[in-house]
Amino acid sequence: MKITGFNPIIASSKAEEIVKVFEALGFEKRHTPVVTSATGTAVVTRMKHENGYHVDVLALDRDIPRDMTGIRINVDDFDEAYAVFTARGFEIAPGDSIVDLGFAKTVIMVAPSGFMVSLMQHIKKND
């Protein structure tokens, strides 16, 4: 398994405020796909800084008491990465599920210690 991307992700019901903070730091919006899972719909704002840094801001369609932070990890083999994490005690986040978006396969997982990982594989047309 090869890691192809690694950056912070912030999930919030007040995502636009977070996006504005990162814009003030020099990040620009790259794209905003909509993701629908068992827990609802979310808009992911992918942001990039001119120095190559990325941050994702996940706009949730429901109120949550506090923002959640985690790590987005892009991989070239979702199933292999999923097996690595589950073997180490990670579980799918409560209410979430593995989602196949056509262009990507993704799931949010939680470590035994509580930190969040957004695992993703981009699907290329020739895969």
Side-chain angles (χ1 to χ4, degrees):
M1 170 194 64
K2 178 181 173 188
I3 294 175
T4 59
F6 191 93
N7 62 266
I9 183 169
I10 304 166
S12 177
S13 53
K14 297 177 177 74
E16 196 53 43
E17 294 173 21
I18 296 167
V19 167
K20 288 178 184 177
V21 169
F22 283 95
E23 286 176 328
L25 295 170
F27 286 78
E28 295 180 359
K29 293 179 187 178
R30 303 302 282 182
H31 62 272
T32 53
V34 176
V35 178
T36 302
S37 71
T39 59
T41 301
V43 177
V44 182
T45 301
R46 178 85 168 147
M47 302 184 78
K48 184 176 181 180
H49 190 273
E50 66 180 8
N51 291 333
Y53 305 116
H54 290 87
V55 64
D56 292 348
V57 181
L58 183 65
L60 302 175
D61 66 352
R62 63 194 179 284
D63 284 331
I64 57 173
R66 298 177 59 121
D67 295 343
M68 298 179 289
T69 58
I71 303 165
R72 173 177 161 169
I73 303 174
N74 291 6
V75 295
D76 67 341
D77 187 326
F78 181 91
D79 296 330
E80 182 181 1
Y82 182 80
V84 167
F85 283 104
T86 56
R88 285 155 181 82
F90 283 71
E91 296 181 350
I92 294 177
D96 203 28
S97 61
I98 296 172
V99 179
D100 187 339
L101 302 167
F103 64 89
K105 190 173 183 181
T106 186
V107 68
I108 296 176
M109 302 186 78
V110 179
S113 64
F115 76 90
M116 178 183 76
V117 169
S118 175
L119 182 61
M120 178 177 285
Q121 176 187 356
H122 284 93
I123 309 297
K124 298 175 181 79
K125 297 224 184 221
N126 58 354
D127 281 353

